Amino acid sequence: MILKDASLSLNEGEHIAIVGPNGAGKSTLLDVISRNIYPLALDEYKSLLFGEEKWMRTELEKLIGTVSERNATFLNTSYNVREIVCSGLYSSLGFDFHHQIKKEDWLLADEELKRVGLYEKRDRIMNTLSSGEKRRIMLARVNINKPKLLLLDEASSALDFPSRAALRRLISTYTEKSTIIMVTHELSEILPEIKRVLLMKEGKIVMDGKKEEVLTEENLSALFFDHVHVSRSGDIYTAYC
């Protein structure tokens, strides 16, 4: 999807959700933010991350962590859980002969595995884990660098209900240390800590505001070209057609 005049400013510690139909440009926006892709050069285009315009790729990867359904497949490897988490420190998939792993690196990996509740499976081979366990490993892997920004692109997609609920509770524990941008199709996945929501359609941000003002039946019906029913229980929203 081509982005059109998309403008976004986010303060440190401010969490947002991005909602929109398939092909709206949500994932493309995250790719631009993380510098996975670059827009065509325009005189008026400017992108600042953490107050700076130019970044070394290796340095930026330590500041931004991404959990995505799209990159979940790379975890289907023969490396074990502990190696995958620890290799996040080196922006690599596993290790080869030139990596010099320190004892404290392994201890950091163990710390993150305990946090996601998978320390007891640290020696398991990655391709033997369930989908829910792999998403939690992805969280541990990106958080080992203590990123300032956490990008969640349909992070709970294709998981069963208990796994989605467990992952959502786990992600909430990261909101104190990292700024979170979450892309989701499911309103129920939007964390209670998220107070700001963007609606995207056809490559444009068509609405940006407070969660309770944006997630209305009128706004979502116009966004999805269908009548959308919205219900709310506290800070949890659900929607159906």
Side-chain angles (χ1 to χ4, degrees):
M1 167 55 66
I2 298 176
L3 297 177
K4 305 173 184 176
D5 301 320
S7 178
L8 174 63
S9 178
L10 186 64
N11 296 319
E12 185 175 351
E14 181 183 15
H15 313 300
I16 64 172
I18 304 175
V19 178
N22 292 331
K26 306 183 298 298
S27 296
T28 302
L29 179 58
L30 293 193
D31 283 337
V32 170
I33 292 171
S34 61
R35 305 288 175 90
N36 283 330
I37 60 174
Y38 288 84
L40 293 174
L42 299 174
D43 292 338
E44 64 273 18
Y45 171 77
K46 189 173 185 179
S47 174
L48 293 178
L49 288 171
F50 313 111
E52 301 291 338
E53 187 170 4
K54 295 182 179 180
W55 283 95
M56 292 289 292
R57 177 76 181 180
T58 53
E59 292 302 314
L60 194 59
E61 287 177 346
K62 296 177 182 178
L63 297 174
I64 299 178
T66 302
V67 178
S68 169
E69 180 191 15
R70 292 179 297 164
N71 60 23
T73 54
F74 88 94
L75 293 182
N76 292 321
T77 76
S78 58
Y79 288 108
N80 69 37
V81 166
R82 199 172 184 233
E83 290 171 330
I84 287 294
V85 174
C86 190
S87 63
L89 290 167
Y90 300 86
S91 300
S92 63
L93 181 62
F95 301 112
D96 56 32
F97 67 92
H98 74 273
H99 288 113
Q100 300 295 320
I101 314 304
K102 304 173 185 177
K103 180 180 178 180
E104 50 265 36
D105 295 341
W106 293 116
L107 294 177
L108 285 174
D110 290 344
E111 179 182 324
E112 294 307 321
L113 284 169
K114 290 174 183 177
R115 183 173 183 177
V116 301
L118 291 173
Y119 177 72
E120 298 302 323
K121 296 189 178 183
R122 62 191 181 279
D123 295 322
R124 286 276 299 273
I125 301 302
M126 283 299 304
N127 58 23
T128 66
L129 300 180
S130 69
S131 296
E133 289 170 336
K134 289 177 182 177
R135 301 297 168 88
R136 286 152 64 189
I137 293 301
M138 291 177 70
L139 269 176
R141 175 182 165 83
V142 300
N143 195 61
I144 198 170
N145 287 308
K146 301 297 186 288
K148 288 187 175 182
L149 178 62
L150 188 57
L151 305 179
L152 306 174
D153 189 2
E154 301 289 353
S156 61
S157 179
L159 299 184
D160 58 31
F161 176 73
S163 296
R164 290 202 311 270
L167 188 64
R168 183 174 64 248
R169 290 191 297 269
L170 179 59
I171 291 172
S172 285
T173 68
Y174 290 81
T175 56
E176 293 185 5
K177 300 294 184 179
S178 300
T179 298
I180 289 179
I181 302 178
M182 166 183 280
V183 164
T184 183
H185 287 95
E186 296 286 342
L187 299 192
S188 60
E189 298 303 307
I190 298 177
L191 306 175
E193 293 84 359
I194 290 177
K195 307 300 181 184
R196 177 182 170 193
V197 175
L198 277 63
L199 301 185
M200 289 193 70
K201 180 168 62 176
E202 298 176 348
K204 296 182 178 181
I205 298 174
V206 296
M207 188 167 290
D208 178 356
K210 295 180 180 179
K211 180 165 58 176
E212 63 272 17
E213 296 175 356
V214 172
L215 297 181
T216 67
E217 293 189 353
E218 180 181 3
N219 292 337
L220 294 176
S221 295
L223 185 72
F224 290 99
F225 300 106
D226 200 347
H227 185 66
V228 178
H229 301 274
V230 178
S231 62
R232 175 182 178 184
S233 177
D235 278 326
I236 302 299
Y237 290 73
T238 56
Y240 64 94
C241 294

